Amino acid sequence: MLIASPNDGILIPIPQYPLYIATIAQFEGKLIPYYLSSSLSAGWSTSVSDVRDALAKAKSEGVNPKALVVINPGNPTGSVLDRGTMEDLVKICEEHSLVLLADKVYQDNLHARVSDPSVSFTSFKKVAHALQSPAPLISFHSTSKGVLGKYGRRGRYFECTNISPEVLALIYKMVSVGLCPPLQNRRRHARPSAKGRRAFLLVMERGDWSGTQSSRRTYLDNDDASWFSKCLVDETMEKGKAPGVMYALELLDETGICVVPRSGFGQKEGVWHYRLTCLCPGVEEYVGKLEKFHKEWVESYEA
């Protein structure tokens, strides 16, 4: 609300968390998309050159870039930025006078990957501090996507770094218009004591949750980079539905498994994926159903 005016642009990663595009539209800003790499080897990485290209294109069209949204760890992709890329993005914000909006709500949900078990999270605040960067930074976190919230409690906060006192005063004024969250949610953000029963239970809860999610993830950590051939795309398009949507609907009808086609999060032209979460028990059972459905679905269209 404070950043976006009718001719101001916000850089958004694609695929993206849908509320970003919706919020930009609500406040009459301009969407400036930059596309994440969809190849399996690149792991949905952010290309600094693509971000620069998106900036140049927006400026050539008369749009005034004001902010860069970075979702790290990625939602819905699960990608995690490396330190070098983060440093380059901070420098871009300095160069173009952009506010860096760092969405880090999945930072506690990293689980070991078969493809790259060494992945770790680093905050943009840490990177900006190391660079002694003056770039304005707003970091977002939430218990509803962290270990404690269990995807239910809507406690959240944002932290401002390198924001002038005048702007901070306006932010406080805007925030004070709304009601505060329930007490339980606010207490969820309080740092627990390093001693005592509550701290012990907290560590146990976090360990159990992380271990369970890591176990489920191993069943889903495989190559889905190219599950449509051109003949399948052409035939499904002739039936009046995009291939990803048609696949998701037929999968739901056949197996009861609900996935979201990537068109729901934005995608490059001609690239098809779907999003599947593993929050609930039963992953071991439905992976087999997914594999069986996929093979039969492909065979039915290639016959």
Side-chain angles (χ1 to χ4, degrees), residues 4-303:
S5 297
N7 201 44
D8 292 334
I10 314 293
L11 287 111
I12 301 290
I14 302 295
Q16 53 85 44
Y17 180 52
L19 288 186
Y20 279 106
I21 287 181
T23 304
I24 292 171
Q26 179 181 2
F27 298 115
E28 300 183 328
K30 300 289 186 183
L31 170 67
I32 306 176
Y34 65 93
Y35 290 92
L36 306 178
S37 173
S38 59
S39 67
L40 185 65
S41 60
W44 301 102
S45 60
T46 298
S47 167
V48 175
S49 61
D50 285 350
V51 173
R52 290 191 178 277
D53 289 344
L55 276 167
K57 182 175 184 295
K59 290 183 178 180
S60 70
E61 295 172 350
V63 176
N64 180 29
K66 295 292 288 293
L68 168 64
V69 172
V70 182
I71 307 176
N72 179 50
N75 179 11
T77 64
S79 61
V80 182
L81 292 179
D82 62 83
R83 182 68 175 256
T85 299
M86 297 176 73
E87 291 176 354
D88 288 340
L89 293 175
V90 170
K91 292 173 184 176
I92 286 177
C93 290
E94 293 179 17
E95 181 183 342
H96 295 273
S97 300
L98 302 175
V99 179
L100 178 55
L101 304 177
D103 181 335
K104 59 174 188 172
V105 302
Y106 280 95
Q107 70 181 66
D108 291 320
N109 283 11
L110 294 183
H111 309 293
R113 300 182 180 186
V114 174
S115 58
D116 188 359
S118 65
V119 169
S120 61
F121 169 80
T122 301
S123 71
F124 268 103
K125 183 178 180 180
K126 182 176 182 178
V127 172
H129 178 75
L131 293 174
Q132 296 184 330
S133 172
L137 167 65
I138 300 180
S139 304
F140 302 92
H141 195 25
S142 168
T143 57
S144 62
K145 298 296 188 293
V147 175
L148 294 179
K150 297 296 179 64
Y151 299 84
R153 295 188 181 275
R154 296 295 171 180
R156 70 276 189 193
Y157 70 88
F158 63 90
E159 180 186 21
C160 299
T161 305
N162 294 335
I163 305 295
S164 71
E166 294 81 8
V167 174
L168 279 176
L170 291 175
I171 291 175
Y172 275 109
K173 186 179 294 185
M174 298 288 290
V175 172
S176 66
V177 173
L179 297 175
C180 62
L183 179 60
Q184 282 187 331
N185 289 350
R186 282 184 280 162
R187 291 188 63 187
R188 285 271 176 174
H189 287 292
R191 184 180 299 275
S193 170
K195 300 179 181 180
R197 177 176 172 78
R198 182 171 181 269
F200 173 77
L201 293 176
L202 173 65
V203 171
M204 292 294 292
E205 182 179 10
R206 289 169 65 97
D208 289 347
W209 174 249
S210 181
T212 300
Q213 291 301 95
S214 295
S215 176
R216 291 171 184 164
R217 189 195 161 91
T218 59
Y219 288 93
L220 300 176
D221 196 4
N222 49 39
D223 186 354
D224 65 348
S226 56
W227 45 270
F228 282 110
S229 66
K230 189 176 186 303
C231 63
L232 298 182
V233 171
D234 291 343
E235 188 166 346
T236 54
M237 293 292 278
E238 288 176 4
K239 294 186 177 183
K241 289 188 176 69
V245 174
M246 190 167 184
Y247 186 99
L249 291 174
E250 293 187 10
L251 174 66
L252 181 63
D253 289 340
E254 180 70 23
T255 67
I257 298 171
C258 182
V259 299
V260 179
R262 204 178 114 204
S263 56
F265 301 93
Q267 63 185 9
K268 290 182 179 178
E269 188 70 27
V271 179
W272 312 97
H273 294 84
Y274 64 76
R275 186 200 197 196
L276 174 68
T277 65
C278 55
L279 299 177
C280 300
V283 175
E284 301 87 343
E285 300 173 10
Y286 68 67
V287 165
K289 293 181 180 180
L290 278 171
E291 184 178 6
K292 179 176 182 293
F293 169 83
H294 180 72
K295 289 180 178 178
E296 293 177 352
W297 193 85
V298 171
E299 290 172 358
S300 70
Y301 281 96
E302 290 183 337

